[in-house]
Amino acid sequence: MSSSTSAHTNGNGHADHDYILRPRAIKPSNPDVLRAMNENGYLSANTIKELAENGGGTGQTSGRSTPVPADAPPSVHSISSARKQKKAEQRRRLFPTIEYASRVSHFDPNSDYRDFQGFYVLFWIALTIMVVTTMLRNVKDTGYPMRMQIWALFTVKVWELALADFLMVASTAVSLPLHRLFRSKTAGWRWFGPGVVIQSLYQAIWFSIWVAIPFLRQWTWTAQVFLVLHTLVLLMKMHSYAFYNGHLSETERRLQALDEPSTASKAPAYQYPSAGHTFSSTEREQEDDEKSQLARLREDLANELTSPMGSVHYPRNLTWSNYADFLCCPTLCYELEYPRTAGIDWYQLIVRTLAVFGCIFLLTITSEEFILPVLQEATVTLQTLTSWSDKGLVLAESISMLLFPFMVTFLLVFLVIFEYVLGAFAEMTCFADRHFYSDWWNSTDWLEFSREWNIPVHHFFRRHVYSASRPHIGRPMATLITFLISAIGHEIVMACITKKIRGYGFFAQMSQLPLVMIQQTKWVKGRRLLNNICFWCSMILGLSMICSLYVLL
């Protein structure tokens, strides 16, 4: 073991950890990684010699303190090889890594869920019937097929919105020169310490400015919601880019410091906790018996600086084209490399683009015909009432009348964002992993729903909030902090829509935690049908009730 007793921070400020885990090893026959490290100056002559003496530095261990003899029977070698392969599959990287793969969405024609397509078609036929019926009624009553109250909001200060959105996107690019400054040894600053503080302050000021601008410019609620949602997306992207590359810059510093082993810290590389496999102390000691600790540490750090697919390594990713590509990719978690498709499917891109505008049209029709009139009538009625019982009846009636419209709105918002907008950006960037959601409609509790309804945001919170805070405050408090930040984000969106701060959304979001605790009890857990019914009832009722409370009270 190392002569150093203090755990090195590895760029994340974590020290004195009780658990030091190992990352996934690089495959033995991967000379590209070593060649890339050597070309970039990460491997000195002594390092290459030491790796060669230890089987290339990327060999997989058998998990045994005694190696298999060369003259052992073939069956023994086969078992040993299988054990090495299993252990290699269980290892993971130091920083929480999202496992991207080439996957299609549930509603894609090539999906394994194509048996579900019949209900998907039925949903669109039902909406078509709703639109046709609504238009015929409007023609009969007013002589026009549609009302124009919400449609007119889309054109108010639209060029001002476009300019502000462009400037907001461009201002996120400050993260790249800032990171180059923190990586530079001549500047005297580094990521751990000044870098984290400066980046965090910039993000806080940046977010405050762009949330306040719509209020100061008195934009319509439609423009304000668009900008605030885009602001939240860019904030998460900017944070992931800066903090992951900051981690890599500190990893690079430590790898280069190992060129002088006598003065460098040899404490094992810190690895964030995750729900995956963790090595016991016995397993780690058995591995260290087969490979020197210094070679293992170099391998861990070099592996961290290389993408899982082995084609990109830090710092060659620090380019403007790479940053622009990340902004366009439909993901919130930065990685050195993503799986890509062979090319753009122009037919799918056109279909998804048209579907975006189709969903916006349907959302506007639903709001114009079935939501806005109910809220306007209830607002006028409440102003004339003095009795709390009468006001309660009006509120209850409004909530009941909005149940179906808000359920349709919820489904359309889900489709336009996760199936069509993200799908279109995935097609434009050849992003192969289209798994933006899972079968959230089968959820039996709110934790399951939060994992499967919005997978990009779930990945971000799990990687940058939960995994980052869990080593310091434990699993329960990390879960609480994750829900707290999510609830604040939802409250900000509702405040921008209604221009009111009431806390109804925040309370509803935080109340999911005690509900989950109840659903995990032995009397409720396992009753999937009952829990799914409760989930849908609370979802449908909650959407209508939250909106009515914000608008009417």
Side-chain angles (χ1 to χ4, degrees):
M1 299 300 291
S2 171
S3 59
S4 175
T5 58
S6 61
H8 192 85
T9 59
N10 198 29
N12 297 285
H14 304 300
D16 298 329
H17 297 283
D18 294 329
Y19 43 89
I20 304 296
L21 309 180
R22 299 296 184 187
R24 178 180 62 230
I26 304 175
K27 294 181 179 180
S29 57
N30 191 0
D32 294 335
V33 176
L34 291 177
R35 187 183 306 115
M37 297 293 101
N38 187 30
E39 290 175 357
N40 209 53
Y42 293 151
L43 300 180
S44 63
N46 292 334
T47 304
I48 298 174
K49 179 180 179 181
E50 190 167 336
L51 290 174
E53 292 174 353
N54 288 277
T58 56
Q60 299 167 345
T61 64
S62 65
R64 296 171 57 91
S65 57
T66 304
V68 178
D71 57 349
S75 59
V76 176
H77 283 286
S78 299
I79 294 175
S80 176
S81 177
R83 294 171 68 179
K84 291 179 182 179
Q85 183 65 27
K86 288 298 181 183
K87 282 189 175 293
E89 292 173 357
Q90 290 172 342
R91 293 194 184 107
R92 59 188 186 89
R93 304 175 73 84
L94 302 175
F95 202 81
T97 303
I98 307 302
E99 297 296 335
Y100 292 97
S102 182
R103 293 174 287 192
V104 297
S105 65
H106 279 62
F107 297 114
D108 191 281
N110 298 320
S111 172
D112 292 335
Y113 291 85
R114 53 183 172 271
D115 292 341
F116 193 69
Q117 288 288 316
F119 286 101
Y120 184 60
V121 173
L122 178 62
F123 173 77
W124 288 113
I125 291 176
L127 289 182
T128 303
I129 294 173
M130 181 195 74
V131 170
V132 172
T133 303
T134 300
M135 288 184 171
L136 291 176
R137 185 178 67 249
N138 284 339
V139 170
K140 175 185 175 182
D141 296 341
T142 65
Y144 299 96
M146 293 182 296
R147 306 174 190 265
M148 301 302 295
Q149 188 171 353
I150 294 182
W151 290 105
L153 300 178
F154 293 149
T155 59
V156 177
K157 298 183 178 180
V158 62
W159 291 110
E160 188 174 317
L161 170 64
L163 177 61
D165 191 62
F166 172 78
L167 293 176
M168 181 179 67
V169 174
S171 61
T172 65
V174 174
S175 299
L176 179 54
L178 277 179
H179 179 74
R180 287 175 174 173
L181 175 66
F182 302 144
R183 179 178 175 268
S184 174
K185 295 182 180 179
T186 58
W189 289 357
R190 55 188 298 177
W191 171 252
F192 176 56
V196 174
V197 174
I198 293 174
Q199 180 68 35
S200 300
L201 287 176
Y202 178 75
Q203 289 178 185
I205 296 172
W206 179 91
F207 181 70
S208 301
I209 291 174
W210 291 110
V211 168
I213 282 179
F215 289 98
L216 298 176
R217 299 298 303 164
Q218 296 182 347
W219 289 357
T220 61
W221 68 267
T222 52
Q224 192 162 5
V225 167
F226 169 80
L227 191 76
V228 168
L229 290 177
H230 200 190
T231 302
L232 290 171
V233 169
L234 292 175
L235 177 67
M236 289 185 280
K237 278 180 172 283
M238 182 166 52
H239 180 90
S240 183
Y241 181 87
F243 277 73
Y244 184 52
N245 277 302
H247 159 77
L248 294 180
S249 70
E250 293 296 326
T251 303
E252 179 193 37
R253 283 176 182 266
R254 190 175 181 198
L255 179 60
Q256 292 174 344
L258 289 177
D259 291 338
E260 299 293 337
S262 59
T263 59
S265 171
K266 302 177 185 63
Y270 171 74
Q271 185 181 47
Y272 285 84
S274 78
H277 173 81
T278 60
F279 283 126
S280 65
S281 58
T282 303
E283 287 175 306
R284 293 195 293 270
E285 291 173 0
Q286 289 173 343
E287 288 194 8
D288 289 338
D289 288 340
E290 296 191 3
K291 182 177 292 185
S292 73
Q293 184 187 10
L294 186 60
R296 166 64 65 186
L297 181 57
R298 283 195 177 109
E299 179 186 329
D300 289 353
L301 298 175
N303 184 34
E304 188 71 5
L305 295 171
T306 307
S307 66
M309 289 174 275
S311 301
V312 180
H313 69 277
Y314 181 90
R316 295 191 176 182
N317 63 305
L318 300 179
T319 62
W320 291 109
S321 59
N322 178 272
Y323 184 76
D325 176 74
F326 171 59
L327 288 183
C328 295
C329 284
T331 180
L332 301 176
C333 293
Y334 180 77
E335 290 287 347
L336 293 174
E337 187 178 11
Y338 300 103
R340 305 284 182 162
T341 59
I344 299 176
D345 187 334
W346 291 103
Y347 173 76
Q348 286 295 328
L349 179 59
I350 293 173
V351 167
R352 293 179 188 279
T353 304
L354 293 176
V356 169
F357 291 100
C359 284
I360 294 174
F361 171 78
L362 291 172
L363 282 168
T364 306
I365 291 292
T366 304
S367 302
E368 193 91 64
E369 299 292 335
F370 303 103
I371 296 178
L372 196 59
V374 174
L375 295 175
Q376 288 176 335
E377 182 181 353
T379 301
V380 174
T381 304
L382 286 173
Q383 292 175 351
T384 62
L385 298 176
T386 57
S387 173
W388 284 103
S389 59
D390 293 339
K391 290 183 178 181
L393 289 174
V394 172
L395 182 62
E397 181 186 21
S398 301
I399 292 174
S400 64
M401 294 178 66
L402 293 174
L403 291 175
F404 184 76
F406 268 107
M407 183 183 70
V408 172
T409 300
F410 169 73
L411 295 176
L412 286 173
V413 168
F414 158 71
L415 285 172
V416 72
I417 295 177
F418 299 107
E419 183 66 23
Y420 300 130
V421 172
L422 296 184
F425 274 95
E427 204 63 63
M428 286 188 291
T429 58
C430 298
F431 193 83
D433 195 342
R434 315 290 171 88
H435 191 59
F436 307 123
Y437 59 90
S438 191
D439 56 337
W440 57 265
W441 44 86
N442 294 324
S443 298
T444 57
D445 59 60
W446 288 103
L447 277 181
E448 183 179 359
F449 172 74
S450 66
R451 291 192 301 265
E452 299 181 348
W453 142 261
N454 190 341
I455 288 181
V457 170
H458 168 67
H459 282 165
F460 177 86
F461 275 94
R462 186 185 65 183
R463 183 192 202 189
H464 294 286
V465 180
Y466 178 80
S467 295
S469 58
R470 180 182 162 189
H472 304 283
I473 58 179
R475 178 177 295 179
M477 286 301 297
T479 303
L480 178 62
I481 292 296
T482 303
F483 266 80
L484 181 64
I485 296 176
S486 177
I488 293 174
H490 283 80
E491 184 64 27
I492 290 175
V493 173
M494 292 304 300
C496 293
I497 295 176
T498 62
K499 293 183 171 58
K500 298 177 182 178
I501 300 178
R502 294 291 186 267
Y504 304 131
F506 179 85
F507 175 78
Q509 181 90 2
M510 296 305 296
S511 64
Q512 294 177 9
L513 288 176
L515 289 176
V516 169
M517 295 176 63
I518 295 174
Q519 291 174 321
Q520 294 298 317
T521 60
K522 61 180 181 180
W523 299 281
V524 181
K525 188 177 181 180
R527 302 177 184 271
R528 295 191 59 84
L529 179 59
L530 174 63
N531 288 332
N532 186 244
I533 292 173
C534 293
F535 160 76
W536 272 112
C537 290
S538 58
M539 174 65 74
I540 296 171
L541 178 62
L543 291 170
S544 176
M545 183 171 62
I546 289 295
C547 179
S548 299
L549 290 174
Y550 270 103
V551 175
L552 300 178
L553 298 180

